Every structure is written in structure tokens, then in C-alpha cells.
Amino acid sequence: MTYKSVKGTRDLLPVDTTAWLHVEQLIREVMERFRYGEIRTPVFEETTVFARGIGEETDIVGKEMYSFLDKGGSSLTLRPEMTAPVIRSFIQHNLGEQSGLNKLYYIGPMFRQERPQAGRFRQFHQFGFECIGQDSPFCDAEIIAMAAEIYRRLGIHSTLKINSVGDPFCRPRYREALQSFLRPLLAELSEESRRRTETNPMRVLDSKDPRDRELTANAPVILDYLTDESREHFEQTLALLDDLGISYDIDPRLVRGLDYYTRTAFEFISSDLGSQDALGGGGRYDGLVQELGGKATPAVGFAAGIERLLIVLEKNGYAFPVSEPLVYLIGMDDASRTWAFRTAMTLRRIGVSAEIDYAGRSVKAQMREANKLGSTFVVLVGESEMQAQVAQVKNMRVGTQEGVEFQHLTSYFSRMNHLTDNTESR
Ligand code: AMP
């Protein structure tokens, strides 16, 4: 019997995590600049947090959640997204009372039982940010600008699509107009769109079915139904994006899959991805805090997939930073092996990566290993070096070798970045 990771999930091995850590570090740096604080919530919640928060009629809640009964009979769900848990936590800890504006970000795994394909997994990772407490278009524009900044710093070209999905005052009128348009077409629409015409007609515009898209090409669009307040909010958001030089395409059919959006909805897409071309998306969700039992609080947020971002970076041949310089210490006999073991510890303590042989291998085999690991320096010590208290230090980049007294080794290597400046492509 051999075991494998569950379908749609992956192991990230050290060869993979170097890129992940780099991307995560960059995200944290950008978040720090915008003064967003990290929030970490449990990976599972009571099912109702998502059912109420995301909406019963959405694909996520309807088909994709990993829900289970625990031994106490409670229905729990592995989080398929983070906005609902963040808002649950925001309400639970009265964050709104402590501050008029809460700026939160997260990075972590999400779980959806979708059909796995390129760029689509059952455990995937998102980073995202939520700005809770203000309905100012500055918040909408800043959230979009933060996402754009992360993609800019990684050299990723993306297209920003944006729309306003209105508010509770304009939606009913639009919904009626859209249903009146759709009902005569029912017989021709796909089964899913037929159902959605009654339950969630705006999602019909989102259908991937080519026939549905053809039939709805002239459907009324929400932008013609916006209240004055929502229109002004949308126009101000766009003006702020113009001011920042962030280009966008207005897409009146963009509704996004989650029910909680109001006003601004947006998505970043990349032509470097296949059919799953969404890098990330978000929008304003002014009704969600109240929906989950808190005081009415406006908010806007964004979430993006890390796997898809890495797919694009790899396609672009993004230059991930090379690993730290490494010192490999070779002991030629028992006494010098113990010295190498001890000296490796000392070097690690002063901030230098050090490696030794653990298998009692020959000097030749150790040398081969040092090469394989891409060591920057090799330190050779045998009986005569132990006696003289002088190690032979080989610079593997330039091929030179010199004797360095034991007592000067730490200062020699603490200057290592300086020593390798000319030879490392860092
Ligand atoms: P959503 O919460 O559906 O708006 O998703 C936000 C982003 O998360 C998407 O744009 C994708 O980049 C990513 N994402 C969503 N679902 C998956 C999945 N099953 N596998 C990988 N990435 C995903």
C-alpha cells in the first residue's frame, strides 16, 4: 500500500518553497508599507459563517465546501475563502469599536472541492486584504492599488476589469429588468442559467456557456440602473485609479461569484494563465458585517491565488534570489570532523550558513557533496591543520585557496558577503 497526497492537493518541497517564501515576503513588505496588519483565523469555522456570509446560491456554498460533522455533531467547514472568517473575527473581537478603520491582511490555505485542472486545486493558497470601516472611494482605489503594486513589483502584466454591482437600492430594479429580459429566453438558456434566472439572475451574465453569452449579449447592464450615490462612488473610484495611472477596463458583465459584493467589483486577469485566468479579485461588501450579526459597517477587500501567481512568474522566467552563501567544512579525520561540527555551529550562530558531512565519507566524496550543494567556500582541516591551527579555505567561485588561522575564521566569514560580492549574481 502506498499513500499519495489527496487529489487536488500538493506537497511543497524545499525546491518549491524558496519561491513561495520570496513571494510571501514581498507581499508582507507591501502590506507593511500600506500599514495593514496580519490576521490569522482557524482553518475551519462553523458552516453557517460561510453559508450566510458567501450566500447559499453561490457555487462555493452550493457545491464546493468541505463540510463535515464533528464528533459533537456540529457542522464545520474548511474555509473556502477568508472574507467571511475575517468579518466573523472582526465582530467577535469588537474591532470596529476600537478603531474606525481596520486594515487587515492574510496569507494561507483555502479549500474548495472543485474539479482539479491547471491552476485549480482543492487546497490552494490565497493572500488578501480587507479594509473595514469606511465607504470612501479612497479605500476601494487603495485596495486595487495594493494588488497592482504587488503585481508590478513581481513584473506581472495583468488586466484589471472593474464594474459596479450597485447597492440594495438599485439592485431590485435591475434584478426585475434582468429577469424580464431573461424569462422569454428560458427555454434556450443552459440549465444552470435557467435556475439562476429566478435565484440569482446577475450570475447568468457570468455564465461560461457560449450560447448563454450569445443570448445575453444585449441584456440590460447594472451600470444603467445605479443610484446617484453608487454612480458617484464608482466614478470617484475610477478617477482615483486614473490619478494613480492604473489602467482598467470597465466590464458591465463582471459580477463575480460571491453574493456579498456591493458597488465596486473587480478582477485582475492574466493572459499567461490558461482557462483559469483570474489572478485575483475583490470588491466592496457593505452588507456583510451586518449579515453576520455585527453593526452595519462598510468594507472593501481583495483575494488572490498564490499558485496562479507563481505559474505566471515561472512562465516569465522570473529571477528568484539565489540562496545564501554556504560554507562547507570538511574534516579529514575523527578529530577534525569534531572540529568541523563545532565550527559549523559557531558560524551558524554568527549568521553564516554552514554544512558538514554526517556520513563519515572520504574527503573526495565530501568535496563532491560541497560542489553539489553549490558551496561558496570549502574549509579543509586534517591532522596538520589541527596542529598548526590553520584551516585551508577554498573559494569555490574563483578557485583560490589560502590558509586562515582558526581564531580568525569567524571574522573571515562574517565578511563573507563582502568576499562574495564580485562573484555572486545577487
Ligand atoms: P475567489 O475567492 O473565487 O474570488 O478567488 C480569488 C482568487 O483565488 C482567484 O482569482 C484565483 O487566483 C484563486 N483561486 C480560487 N479558487 C482557486 C482554486 N480552486 N485553485 C487555485 N486558485 C484558486
Side-chain angles (χ1 to χ4, degrees):
M1 176 82 187
T2 54
Y3 294 107
K4 285 195 174 136
S5 57
V6 173
K7 187 175 167 190
T9 71
R10 297 193 304 167
D11 298 316
L12 297 175
L13 303 177
V15 291
D16 308 307
T17 49
T18 312
W20 280 75
L21 288 171
H22 173 71
V23 165
E24 287 168 10
Q25 181 58 31
L26 187 136
I27 292 166
R28 290 181 196 287
E29 249 174 62
V30 173
M31 293 302 101
E32 180 62 33
R33 301 284 178 275
F34 285 85
R35 302 305 277 178
Y36 274 64
E38 185 178 4
I39 181 165
R40 299 186 190 191
T41 62
V43 290
F44 56 86
E45 297 275 344
E46 284 181 45
T47 299
T48 47
V49 169
F50 302 111
R52 289 216 53 174
I54 304 172
E56 301 276 4
E57 265 309 312
T58 58
D59 284 351
I60 294 182
V61 174
K63 315 189 242 187
E64 298 166 1
M65 293 206 302
Y66 279 103
S67 300
F68 57 97
L69 290 179
D70 75 358
K71 295 213 165 55
S74 306
S75 177
L76 304 176
T77 294
L78 297 183
R79 63 188 188 196
E81 59 98 60
M82 266 297 269
T83 302
V86 167
I87 296 305
R88 192 267 310 139
S89 176
F90 169 86
I91 297 167
Q92 181 176 339
H93 301 284
N94 294 318
L95 297 185
E97 258 134 66
Q98 293 160 36
S99 167
L101 188 66
N102 279 273
K103 305 205 286 185
L104 306 170
Y105 83 93
Y106 57 84
I107 302 179
M110 310 294 151
F111 308 86
R112 294 184 195 174
Q113 192 159 6
E114 296 188 85
R115 197 170 50 77
Q117 63 181 82
R120 195 156 79 186
F121 306 92
R122 291 184 165 173
Q123 174 173 331
F124 61 100
H125 298 74
Q126 285 187 339
F127 68 91
F129 19 95
E130 318 286 353
C131 177
I132 311 164
Q134 298 289 324
D135 64 5
S136 159
F138 280 104
C139 297
D140 303 57
E142 188 173 274
I143 286 278
I144 294 171
M146 276 160 55
E149 176 63 6
I150 289 171
Y151 295 136
R152 185 192 68 78
R153 285 192 49 178
L154 290 166
I156 292 178
H157 297 286
S158 58
T159 305
L160 167 61
K161 294 203 286 184
I162 190 166
N163 191 22
S164 173
V165 293
D167 58 40
F169 300 102
C170 38
R171 284 251 193 111
R173 229 161 41 91
Y174 175 61
R175 195 184 150 101
E176 249 168 58
L178 187 56
Q179 281 177 326
S180 308
F181 175 88
L182 293 171
R183 281 191 188 121
L185 306 171
L186 277 185
E188 294 171 81
L189 286 170
S190 68
E191 194 189 319
E192 190 156 51
S193 291
R194 218 175 299 147
R195 191 170 48 78
R196 282 182 169 155
T197 298
E198 296 311 320
T199 57
N200 194 350
M202 283 172 79
R203 290 292 319 278
V204 176
L205 300 183
D206 213 17
S207 169
K208 295 273 180 290
D209 184 306
R211 179 79 183 127
D212 284 353
R213 294 190 79 86
E214 215 176 284
L215 287 166
T216 57
N218 295 318
V221 294
I222 180 100
L223 290 179
D224 293 331
Y225 289 79
L226 295 184
T227 56
D228 289 347
E229 289 79 11
S230 277
R231 166 166 307 286
E232 203 173 308
H233 190 276
F234 189 47
E235 282 168 2
Q236 285 175 4
T237 303
L238 298 182
L240 290 169
L241 293 177
D242 290 336
D243 192 62
L244 293 177
I246 295 173
S247 51
Y248 51 81
D249 294 336
I250 296 174
D251 180 354
R253 297 175 69 100
L254 178 74
V255 296
R256 302 201 19 86
L258 292 76
D259 274 359
Y260 51 57
Y261 289 113
T262 52
R263 295 188 170 177
T264 314
F266 63 95
E267 203 157 77
F268 284 87
I269 56 173
S270 164
S271 54
D272 288 325
L273 292 166
S275 63
Q276 301 299 312
D277 64 354
L279 272 174
R284 180 163 277 288
Y285 50 93
D286 291 345
L288 184 58
V289 179
Q290 202 169 20
E291 182 67 36
L292 287 178
K295 263 206 278 196
T297 311
V300 54
F302 169 78
I306 299 185
E307 283 82 357
R308 291 194 194 168
L309 192 153
L310 285 163
I311 290 172
V312 176
L313 289 182
E314 263 153 45
K315 242 188 192 157
N316 292 352
Y318 181 82
F320 288 101
V322 297
S323 52
E324 294 277 306
L326 171 67
V327 176
Y328 195 99
L329 298 123
I330 296 180
M332 302 189 204
D333 58 15
D334 285 348
S336 52
R337 280 176 197 277
T338 305
W339 176 89
F341 180 68
R342 187 170 68 241
T343 307
M345 293 297 282
T346 309
L347 289 177
R348 291 161 182 163
R349 256 178 221 149
I350 64 159
V352 174
S353 292
E355 190 58 287
I356 55 165
D357 169 53
Y358 304 90
R361 282 178 288 196
S362 68
V363 173
K364 204 165 147 200
Q366 291 187 60
M367 203 64 200
R368 216 178 300 127
E369 180 69 8
N371 259 318
K372 198 172 118 193
L373 296 176
S375 307
T376 324
F377 289 95
V378 169
V379 176
L380 285 143
V381 175
E383 205 181 330
S384 56
E385 285 79 13
M386 288 294 285
Q387 234 157 39
Q389 299 277 292
V390 174
Q392 286 303 313
V393 177
K394 197 170 162 130
N395 183 326
M396 302 294 278
R397 297 282 186 273
V398 285
T400 54
Q401 187 165 323
E402 62 183 321
V404 179
E405 281 181 46
F406 281 5
Q407 56 172 337
H408 293 142
L409 269 179
T410 48
S411 61
Y412 185 88
F413 288 121
S414 65
R415 292 185 291 116
M416 186 157 64
N417 285 334
H418 163 71
L419 288 172
T420 54
D421 263 357
N422 301 329
T423 48
E424 293 267 320
S425 57
R426 287 160 61 84

PDB file of all heavy atoms in Angstrom, residues 320-336:
ATOM      1  N   PHE A 320      14.273  34.383  -9.267  1.00  0.00           N
ATOM      2  CA  PHE A 320      14.172  34.294  -7.807  1.00  0.00           C
ATOM      3  C   PHE A 320      15.567  34.462  -7.223  1.00  0.00           C
ATOM      4  O   PHE A 320      16.556  34.046  -7.839  1.00  0.00           O
ATOM      5  CB  PHE A 320      13.577  32.944  -7.388  1.00  0.00           C
ATOM      6  CG  PHE A 320      12.118  32.831  -7.699  1.00  0.00           C
ATOM      7  CD1 PHE A 320      11.680  32.136  -8.809  1.00  0.00           C
ATOM      8  CD2 PHE A 320      11.188  33.467  -6.900  1.00  0.00           C
ATOM      9  CE1 PHE A 320      10.327  32.057  -9.116  1.00  0.00           C
ATOM     10  CE2 PHE A 320       9.832  33.398  -7.192  1.00  0.00           C
ATOM     11  CZ  PHE A 320       9.399  32.694  -8.295  1.00  0.00           C
ATOM     12  N   PRO A 321      15.685  35.083  -6.049  1.00  0.00           N
ATOM     13  CA  PRO A 321      17.017  35.307  -5.485  1.00  0.00           C
ATOM     14  C   PRO A 321      17.727  33.968  -5.247  1.00  0.00           C
ATOM     15  O   PRO A 321      17.076  32.993  -4.891  1.00  0.00           O
ATOM     16  CB  PRO A 321      16.741  35.991  -4.144  1.00  0.00           C
ATOM     17  CG  PRO A 321      15.291  36.283  -4.105  1.00  0.00           C
ATOM     18  CD  PRO A 321      14.610  35.511  -5.175  1.00  0.00           C
ATOM     19  N   VAL A 322      19.032  33.962  -5.477  1.00  0.00           N
ATOM     20  CA  VAL A 322      19.773  32.723  -5.225  1.00  0.00           C
ATOM     21  C   VAL A 322      19.930  32.553  -3.721  1.00  0.00           C
ATOM     22  O   VAL A 322      19.789  33.511  -2.956  1.00  0.00           O
ATOM     23  CB  VAL A 322      21.170  32.735  -5.889  1.00  0.00           C
ATOM     24  CG1 VAL A 322      21.033  32.831  -7.392  1.00  0.00           C
ATOM     25  CG2 VAL A 322      22.029  33.861  -5.356  1.00  0.00           C
ATOM     26  N   SER A 323      20.212  31.316  -3.301  1.00  0.00           N
ATOM     27  CA  SER A 323      20.267  31.084  -1.858  1.00  0.00           C
ATOM     28  C   SER A 323      21.526  31.707  -1.257  1.00  0.00           C
ATOM     29  O   SER A 323      22.455  32.094  -1.957  1.00  0.00           O
ATOM     30  CB  SER A 323      20.184  29.594  -1.563  1.00  0.00           C
ATOM     31  OG  SER A 323      21.144  28.944  -2.331  1.00  0.00           O
ATOM     32  N   GLU A 324      21.513  31.769   0.058  1.00  0.00           N
ATOM     33  CA  GLU A 324      22.622  32.344   0.834  1.00  0.00           C
ATOM     34  C   GLU A 324      23.953  31.680   0.488  1.00  0.00           C
ATOM     35  O   GLU A 324      23.997  30.503   0.150  1.00  0.00           O
ATOM     36  CB  GLU A 324      22.371  32.028   2.320  1.00  0.00           C
ATOM     37  CG  GLU A 324      21.167  32.705   2.895  1.00  0.00           C
ATOM     38  CD  GLU A 324      21.508  34.109   3.313  1.00  0.00           C
ATOM     39  OE1 GLU A 324      22.466  34.258   4.085  1.00  0.00           O
ATOM     40  OE2 GLU A 324      20.830  35.037   2.848  1.00  0.00           O
ATOM     41  N   PRO A 325      25.069  32.397   0.633  1.00  0.00           N
ATOM     42  CA  PRO A 325      26.377  31.754   0.511  1.00  0.00           C
ATOM     43  C   PRO A 325      26.499  30.640   1.557  1.00  0.00           C
ATOM     44  O   PRO A 325      25.926  30.748   2.636  1.00  0.00           O
ATOM     45  CB  PRO A 325      27.369  32.872   0.822  1.00  0.00           C
ATOM     46  CG  PRO A 325      26.604  34.128   0.770  1.00  0.00           C
ATOM     47  CD  PRO A 325      25.161  33.816   0.960  1.00  0.00           C
ATOM     48  N   LEU A 326      27.216  29.586   1.206  1.00  0.00           N
ATOM     49  CA  LEU A 326      27.324  28.437   2.098  1.00  0.00           C
ATOM     50  C   LEU A 326      28.789  28.061   2.309  1.00  0.00           C
ATOM     51  O   LEU A 326      29.575  28.041   1.368  1.00  0.00           O
ATOM     52  CB  LEU A 326      26.572  27.257   1.457  1.00  0.00           C
ATOM     53  CG  LEU A 326      26.729  25.890   2.112  1.00  0.00           C
ATOM     54  CD1 LEU A 326      26.082  25.875   3.494  1.00  0.00           C
ATOM     55  CD2 LEU A 326      26.099  24.801   1.242  1.00  0.00           C
ATOM     56  N   VAL A 327      29.129  27.770   3.568  1.00  0.00           N
ATOM     57  CA  VAL A 327      30.471  27.279   3.893  1.00  0.00           C
ATOM     58  C   VAL A 327      30.371  25.782   4.181  1.00  0.00           C
ATOM     59  O   VAL A 327      29.580  25.371   5.028  1.00  0.00           O
ATOM     60  CB  VAL A 327      31.040  27.995   5.140  1.00  0.00           C
ATOM     61  CG1 VAL A 327      32.394  27.407   5.526  1.00  0.00           C
ATOM     62  CG2 VAL A 327      31.147  29.496   4.896  1.00  0.00           C
ATOM     63  N   TYR A 328      31.132  24.967   3.469  1.00  0.00           N
ATOM     64  CA  TYR A 328      31.141  23.523   3.706  1.00  0.00           C
ATOM     65  C   TYR A 328      32.443  23.157   4.404  1.00  0.00           C
ATOM     66  O   TYR A 328      33.529  23.448   3.904  1.00  0.00           O
ATOM     67  CB  TYR A 328      31.015  22.765   2.383  1.00  0.00           C
ATOM     68  CG  TYR A 328      30.656  21.312   2.564  1.00  0.00           C
ATOM     69  CD1 TYR A 328      29.341  20.869   2.408  1.00  0.00           C
ATOM     70  CD2 TYR A 328      31.627  20.363   2.916  1.00  0.00           C
ATOM     71  CE1 TYR A 328      29.000  19.540   2.588  1.00  0.00           C
ATOM     72  CE2 TYR A 328      31.290  19.029   3.104  1.00  0.00           C
ATOM     73  CZ  TYR A 328      29.980  18.626   2.940  1.00  0.00           C
ATOM     74  OH  TYR A 328      29.642  17.306   3.120  1.00  0.00           O
ATOM     75  N   LEU A 329      32.331  22.544   5.580  1.00  0.00           N
ATOM     76  CA  LEU A 329      33.529  22.227   6.366  1.00  0.00           C
ATOM     77  C   LEU A 329      33.865  20.753   6.238  1.00  0.00           C
ATOM     78  O   LEU A 329      33.035  19.892   6.533  1.00  0.00           O
ATOM     79  CB  LEU A 329      33.297  22.579   7.842  1.00  0.00           C
ATOM     80  CG  LEU A 329      33.024  24.070   8.078  1.00  0.00           C
ATOM     81  CD1 LEU A 329      31.698  24.260   8.778  1.00  0.00           C
ATOM     82  CD2 LEU A 329      34.152  24.701   8.876  1.00  0.00           C
ATOM     83  N   ILE A 330      35.071  20.473   5.779  1.00  0.00           N
ATOM     84  CA  ILE A 330      35.492  19.081   5.578  1.00  0.00           C
ATOM     85  C   ILE A 330      36.536  18.695   6.626  1.00  0.00           C
ATOM     86  O   ILE A 330      37.588  19.331   6.717  1.00  0.00           O
ATOM     87  CB  ILE A 330      36.094  18.883   4.170  1.00  0.00           C
ATOM     88  CG1 ILE A 330      35.019  19.151   3.108  1.00  0.00           C
ATOM     89  CG2 ILE A 330      36.705  17.483   4.018  1.00  0.00           C
ATOM     90  CD1 ILE A 330      35.514  18.971   1.678  1.00  0.00           C
ATOM     91  N   GLY A 331      36.215  17.688   7.416  1.00  0.00           N
ATOM     92  CA  GLY A 331      37.186  17.132   8.366  1.00  0.00           C
ATOM     93  C   GLY A 331      37.792  15.885   7.757  1.00  0.00           C
ATOM     94  O   GLY A 331      37.076  15.055   7.201  1.00  0.00           O
ATOM     95  N   MET A 332      39.144  15.769   7.856  1.00  0.00           N
ATOM     96  CA  MET A 332      39.785  14.623   7.196  1.00  0.00           C
ATOM     97  C   MET A 332      39.980  13.431   8.120  1.00  0.00           C
ATOM     98  O   MET A 332      40.244  12.330   7.666  1.00  0.00           O
ATOM     99  CB  MET A 332      41.135  15.058   6.622  1.00  0.00           C
ATOM    100  CG  MET A 332      40.995  16.210   5.636  1.00  0.00           C
ATOM    101  SD  MET A 332      42.558  16.507   4.807  1.00  0.00           S
ATOM    102  CE  MET A 332      42.404  18.181   4.309  1.00  0.00           C
ATOM    103  N   ASP A 333      39.880  13.647   9.435  1.00  0.00           N
ATOM    104  CA  ASP A 333      39.968  12.523  10.365  1.00  0.00           C
ATOM    105  C   ASP A 333      38.999  12.783  11.519  1.00  0.00           C
ATOM    106  O   ASP A 333      38.305  13.799  11.543  1.00  0.00           O
ATOM    107  CB  ASP A 333      41.408  12.347  10.870  1.00  0.00           C
ATOM    108  CG  ASP A 333      41.929  13.602  11.549  1.00  0.00           C
ATOM    109  OD1 ASP A 333      41.101  14.487  11.876  1.00  0.00           O
ATOM    110  OD2 ASP A 333      43.163  13.708  11.743  1.00  0.00           O
ATOM    111  N   ASP A 334      38.985  11.865  12.498  1.00  0.00           N
ATOM    112  CA  ASP A 334      37.972  11.979  13.551  1.00  0.00           C
ATOM    113  C   ASP A 334      38.052  13.305  14.297  1.00  0.00           C
ATOM    114  O   ASP A 334      37.047  13.967  14.540  1.00  0.00           O
ATOM    115  CB  ASP A 334      38.107  10.816  14.548  1.00  0.00           C
ATOM    116  CG  ASP A 334      37.557   9.534  13.932  1.00  0.00           C
ATOM    117  OD1 ASP A 334      36.901   9.640  12.866  1.00  0.00           O
ATOM    118  OD2 ASP A 334      37.792   8.454  14.506  1.00  0.00           O
ATOM    119  N   ALA A 335      39.285  13.692  14.686  1.00  0.00           N
ATOM    120  CA  ALA A 335      39.442  14.919  15.481  1.00  0.00           C
ATOM    121  C   ALA A 335      38.985  16.142  14.682  1.00  0.00           C
ATOM    122  O   ALA A 335      38.288  17.019  15.199  1.00  0.00           O
ATOM    123  CB  ALA A 335      40.899  15.086  15.903  1.00  0.00           C
ATOM    124  N   SER A 336      39.359  16.174  13.411  1.00  0.00           N
ATOM    125  CA  SER A 336      39.000  17.357  12.624  1.00  0.00           C
ATOM    126  C   SER A 336      37.509  17.357  12.268  1.00  0.00           C
ATOM    127  O   SER A 336      36.908  18.404  12.081  1.00  0.00           O
ATOM    128  CB  SER A 336      39.876  17.467  11.375  1.00  0.00           C
ATOM    129  OG  SER A 336      39.867  16.270  10.666  1.00  0.00           O
TER     130      SER A 336
END
